[in-house]
Amino acid sequence: MTPVRLPTSPGAQHLAPYACRDDRSRGRRYPEPAPSYRGEFQRDRDRIVHSAAFRRLEYKTQVFVSHEGDMFRTRLTHSLEVAQISRTIARVLGLNEDLCEGIALAHDLGHTPFGHAGQDALNTCMTPYGGFEHNLQSLRVVDVLEEKYAEFPGLNLTFETREGILKHCAREHAAALGDVGERFLTGRQPSLEAQVTNRADEIAYNSHDVDDGLRAGFLTVERLRETALFRGAHDEVQGRWPGLPLRRTIHEVIRRMIHRQVVDLVDATAAAVAERGPDGVDSIRAAGEPLVRFGPVMHERHLELKRFLSEHLYRHYRVHRMALKARRIVRELFEAFMADRRILPPDSQAHLRELEEREGPSGAARGIADYVAGMTDRFAIREHARIYQPTELT
Ligand code: MG
């Protein structure tokens, strides 16, 4: 069967001159023939969707532990919301939607179980061995840890998708990462698609944490009205539909919050891009600051909401209790495996030996961190019980 050959790259349509085009990609670490009926970034996205780490996002959480209720966001639904928001922004700005979607779906692949509490605990455990950063781990998942293809480790994604996944990186790690680490040493910017997805991530979690926080009863409408972004949307909904039931009111408010942030971001970014007049991706990367931004008023409102959530949701006493348990589970799992690696499954023992031969003792710790970071919330809880509870089956 002759493969279908399209006359132009499917990703090259309707793109602004400063968008990433997949026919001009900086390529993959292991060169591969171009796909025959998809663009390079579509192929990246498809590889991400078929990865094991992507499926595990369903049982990993952001703020609420996944068994606390089926109504809360998980990392999977969060990633889908980020993809939706970033694609909308990308399309209106003439950027590459496929690239944004791939970055969005992969951006949290390296997260530990139990959100930030789990990440902090694993970072503390790993401090003597080079630390643990979830952004770096997301890159490690797609570069190394996924075992699926005959000819290369990881998913062998394009430079542009990998660049977008590595949102932050400490300088001391950047040098070892080659091309994707470079910008953290030279102060360059990532593509506009990476910048858009980064902002879409913030818009998504600020908005859905308000929704989940209200549903959990940790936040109240009265307190949330202290923030201008919520208050403005709430006033409009109440004015238009007085007496609307709470559930519908909240959704109408949240959708307005997302809409207003997206519209503001599109307008401010379009103005920043027009002012600078970049002629290609290289001038985006060379700009001294990100061009994807909110206008000054929305920027303030966005920060105000962030501060509010940090004070009233992330520091709620019940969130602290969840975090305390989460940190203990992650720490005790790490300690148990460090003390006796024979209790690890055989394939993890093999992975650990390989790393140890290459890197010494810190390689062994890294192998354990890979195993713990890959766990879902529920697997970590079960694994902890299997190791520490004498009455549990092993
Ligand atoms: Mg995220």
Side-chain angles (χ1 to χ4, degrees):
M1 201 174 75
T2 330
V4 184
R5 282 276 162 204
L6 300 176
T8 55
S9 160
Q13 311 296 307
H14 316 297
L15 293 179
Y18 38 80
C20 285
R21 290 176 48 145
D22 47 15
D23 54 347
R24 294 187 194 153
S25 167
R26 285 170 62 174
R28 301 173 189 276
R29 297 208 298 166
Y30 302 86
E32 292 182 63
S36 48
Y37 58 93
R38 295 173 289 180
E40 298 284 0
F41 303 138
Q42 286 177 284
R43 176 155 71 179
D44 281 359
R45 177 204 55 207
D46 298 348
R47 286 184 178 180
I48 291 159
V49 168
H50 288 276
S51 70
F54 183 72
R55 288 193 293 279
R56 288 198 296 259
L57 293 176
E58 185 175 1
Y59 300 105
K60 294 195 183 202
T61 42
Q62 301 266 114
V63 180
F64 301 90
V65 174
S66 77
H67 66 265
E68 298 199 313
D70 295 342
M71 297 297 283
F72 299 121
R73 265 68 173 187
T74 64
R75 291 226 174 251
L76 181 62
T77 60
H78 163 70
S79 299
L80 294 173
E81 289 181 27
V82 177
Q84 180 273 312
I85 292 170
S86 61
R87 285 185 54 181
T88 301
I89 299 169
R91 186 180 295 199
V92 68
L93 291 173
L95 301 175
N96 198 312
E97 278 184 62
D98 296 327
L99 177 56
C100 283
E101 188 177 16
I103 296 171
L105 297 180
H107 84 284
D108 272 353
L109 290 181
H111 259 288
T112 60
F114 315 121
H116 292 284
Q119 126 95 25
D120 292 346
L122 197 52
N123 187 32
T124 306
C125 295
M126 284 296 289
T127 300
Y129 313 104
F132 180 90
E133 288 181 44
H134 62 82
N135 284 299
L136 261 179
Q137 190 70 9
S138 294
L139 189 66
R140 188 167 162 78
V141 166
V142 301
D143 280 356
V144 182
L145 295 179
E146 281 289 322
E147 291 181 301
K148 300 196 101 67
Y149 298 92
E151 296 184 316
F152 44 79
L155 306 179
N156 197 32
L157 304 180
T158 61
F159 170 85
E160 290 76 10
T161 302
R162 296 171 62 240
E163 172 193 53
I165 291 172
L166 193 64
K167 195 161 66 174
H168 303 289
C169 173
R171 281 180 72 88
E172 66 260 32
H173 295 136
L177 295 173
D179 53 4
V180 279
E182 235 169 67
R183 72 182 162 92
F184 300 98
L185 303 170
T186 56
R188 285 162 67 87
Q189 303 301 320
S191 69
L192 286 180
E193 284 82 354
Q195 296 180 33
V196 161
T197 312
N198 190 5
R199 285 299 188 174
D201 184 22
E202 293 181 327
I203 294 173
Y205 67 66
N206 278 339
S207 311
H208 65 49
D209 286 352
V210 167
D211 193 22
D212 284 352
L214 282 166
R215 182 176 278 114
F218 294 0
L219 300 176
T220 62
V221 169
E222 293 65 41
R223 285 318 287 268
L224 272 159
R225 284 185 55 84
E226 293 167 19
T227 66
L229 193 58
F230 185 93
R231 190 170 59 245
H234 190 243
D235 281 345
E236 190 194 311
V237 173
Q238 280 205 312
R240 227 169 127 186
W241 299 286
L244 189 69
L246 184 64
R247 204 58 262 149
R248 290 189 192 207
T249 301
I250 291 168
H251 184 71
E252 288 288 352
V253 172
I254 303 282
R255 66 187 277 244
R256 275 169 181 73
M257 289 169 66
I258 295 174
H259 178 75
R260 287 172 187 187
Q261 290 177 88
V262 166
V263 169
D264 186 89
L265 189 84
V266 166
D267 288 346
T269 302
V273 168
E275 190 187 324
R276 195 170 289 258
D279 54 3
V281 186
D282 286 337
S283 42
I284 298 294
R285 293 204 173 102
E289 53 184 351
L291 297 184
V292 175
R293 56 180 70 160
F294 291 117
V297 175
M298 186 56 81
H299 180 69
E300 262 318 304
R301 290 183 177 179
H302 172 82
L303 291 180
E304 181 190 49
L305 181 61
K306 261 186 148 159
R307 281 194 301 269
F308 178 91
L309 287 171
S310 152
E311 195 176 325
H312 298 282
L313 180 60
Y314 312 140
R315 289 187 208 149
H316 191 282
Y317 81 100
R318 286 179 55 196
V319 173
H320 272 306
R321 285 183 183 190
M322 288 188 270
L324 179 83
K325 283 192 270 189
R327 281 197 299 270
R328 202 181 77 217
I329 289 174
V330 167
R331 188 184 65 240
E332 290 181 354
L333 283 172
F334 184 87
E335 286 169 357
F337 298 132
M338 282 295 273
D340 190 349
R341 66 179 65 175
R342 292 171 306 175
I343 63 174
L344 282 164
D347 54 338
S348 294
Q349 288 189 42
H351 172 63
L352 189 145
R353 263 196 306 276
E354 209 179 289
L355 286 166
E356 193 172 35
E357 272 164 33
R358 241 188 2 245
E359 299 164 31
S362 66
R366 183 64 54 195
I368 290 168
D370 287 338
Y371 181 57
V372 175
M375 294 178 184
T376 62
D377 297 1
R378 60 181 193 171
F379 184 84
I381 292 167
R382 269 190 230 144
E383 187 78 334
H384 185 269
R386 281 191 288 255
I387 290 173
Y388 285 98
Q389 298 297 325
T391 51
E392 282 285 321
L393 291 175
T394 52

